[in-house]
Amino acid sequence: MSAKTLLCLLLAVVLLAGCSVSEKNLPERIKQRTDRLAGYYAELEAEVASFTGEQVYRVRQWQDFSGRFRVEVKAEEEEQHFICDGSQVWICQPEIGDCFRLAAEESHELVPPFLLVGYLNGLQQAAEFEFLGKRELNGQERYVAAYAGPLEGEEVRLWLDGKTMFPVLVEIFLEGEMLSRLEVKRLELNPPLPAELFEYTAKTEQEAGAYCLVEPLSLAEAKKGWPVDVYLPSYLPEGFSLYVISRVSEPDREQLIFVYRGPEPFTLVQYPKREDAVLQSAAVREVYFGLRQGYFQQNLSNNLAVLRWSLEESSFILAGALPLEQMVKIAGSLKPDN
């Protein structure tokens, strides 16, 4: 064997060794791939178990790694869009012309549903994960890794393409039962991403004002003309205090919004009780505190949780990054401010 041939063989061995994926280097391999990208476009199909049976969602998403994204989720006749221009996020339901904007300080915390890079970030930020090696999927070998989701007993399993290190399949289990299955139907890396994809303009100034402008109120001003009791929590976690109160007045959607600041800011929304349909999703679970029943949901990134419940003539939404036990304690302490 010539020296040249031997050198080539040695180089081949080194290159092959350098390209192998292991539990130790998987997060770094993912980072190496995504760091080379300016963005991507993907089409997906999501199957989600719910209380009423399996729900199927068609998803399109555009991600610009400069900080912009657009995610469109469609289920039967309903559709929801999440649009971020890098500084603010619009959440829209086009079929009914409903749209609202998150404040700048809140928008960076939102991870829209089914976002591929969100699952990759979840793996990279997990305290620990399990590398399951190579497994065959539809006749092709994929790298498989799993990490704990935000709910107790939840597991997120990613099937990764060896070349792009992007998920081709995402499976989410709770206590061994599958909650959802997300299959990537199309993936384009570094496609053209026109700026208008990430822009939203309200139809009128009135529409923008109705959804976006917040006028701080005193407690006395908030109570004035409010048709039912105004409730305040008698318990707050240490370090928290009431920051601002605002009132949103729209037909059939009048709300009081209490913003509390502290280590993990949260909001308490209250409004006259109405017959709202309970969100039927596998991620929603019933919780009980005292004689009250509520509905709790947490996002996949474990940085936003929502608790909904009703009391007497009022309904409430508590949202923030607090643990469930703290949210239940706050909710259970609500009393009318008479």
Side-chain angles (χ1 to χ4, degrees), residues 14 143 151 177 259 270 298 320:
V14 170
Y143 294 114
L151 299 179
E177 296 288 332
V259 179
Q270 51 189 288
Q298 195 166 36

Side-chain angles (χ1 to χ4, degrees), residues 52-159:
T52 58
E54 186 178 272
Q55 301 288 327
V56 178
Y57 300 89
R58 311 290 180 186
V59 184
R60 297 195 301 166
Q61 57 186 260
W62 296 259
Q63 173 76 58
D64 180 338
F65 287 129
S66 67
R68 303 179 298 177
F69 61 74
R70 181 187 184 100
V71 178
E72 299 179 355
V73 182
K74 188 172 184 179
E76 297 181 352
E77 300 302 317
E78 297 183 1
E79 191 167 356
Q80 195 167 40
H81 294 178
F82 301 80
I83 305 168
C84 176
D85 63 6
S87 61
Q88 59 190 351
V89 176
W90 291 93
I91 303 176
C92 308
Q93 290 182 269
E95 73 278 3
I96 60 174
D98 191 12
C99 197
F100 67 92
R101 184 179 65 185
L102 293 184
E105 60 271 16
E106 298 174 337
S107 62
H108 71 279
E109 299 179 355
L110 175 73
V111 178
F114 311 124
L115 189 67
L116 287 182
V117 74
Y119 297 112
L120 288 176
N121 289 339
L123 173 63
Q124 293 176 290
Q125 295 167 9
E128 57 183 23
F129 67 91
E130 183 179 7
F131 180 60
L132 302 173
K134 283 187 177 181
R135 295 188 180 181
E136 186 175 313
L137 178 67
N138 299 328
Q140 297 187 53
E141 284 193 334
R142 305 296 188 186
Y143 294 114
V144 184
Y147 62 94
L151 299 179
E152 184 177 352
E154 185 180 62
E155 177 186 276
V156 180
R157 186 176 300 173
L158 305 183
W159 298 68

Side-chain angles (χ1 to χ4, degrees), residues 43-48 57-59 61 113-116 119 157 159 167-172 178 180-185 300:
E43 295 177 5
L44 314 95
E45 181 176 287
E47 299 172 359
V48 179
Y57 300 89
R58 311 290 180 186
V59 184
Q61 57 186 260
F114 311 124
L115 189 67
L116 287 182
Y119 297 112
R157 186 176 300 173
W159 298 68
V168 295
L169 180 67
V170 179
E171 297 173 315
I172 300 177
M178 185 174 288
S180 60
R181 185 177 189 274
L182 179 64
E183 184 176 358
V184 178
K185 299 293 187 179
L300 291 175

Side-chain angles (χ1 to χ4, degrees), residues 239-266:
F240 284 84
S241 61
L242 180 60
Y243 176 56
V244 69
I245 306 172
S246 63
R247 182 169 176 171
V248 177
S249 298
E250 300 170 19
D252 302 320
R253 291 182 58 170
E254 194 163 41
Q255 300 176 341
L256 285 178
I257 303 173
F258 292 72
V259 179
Y260 291 83
R261 62 181 173 185
E264 296 288 351
F266 68 88

Side-chain angles (χ1 to χ4, degrees), residues 303-322:
N303 58 15
L304 179 65
V306 177
L307 178 64
R308 302 170 183 267
W309 76 100
S310 294
L311 175 65
E312 302 297 338
E313 298 179 304
S314 297
S315 293
F316 304 89
I317 302 173
L318 185 60
L322 295 171

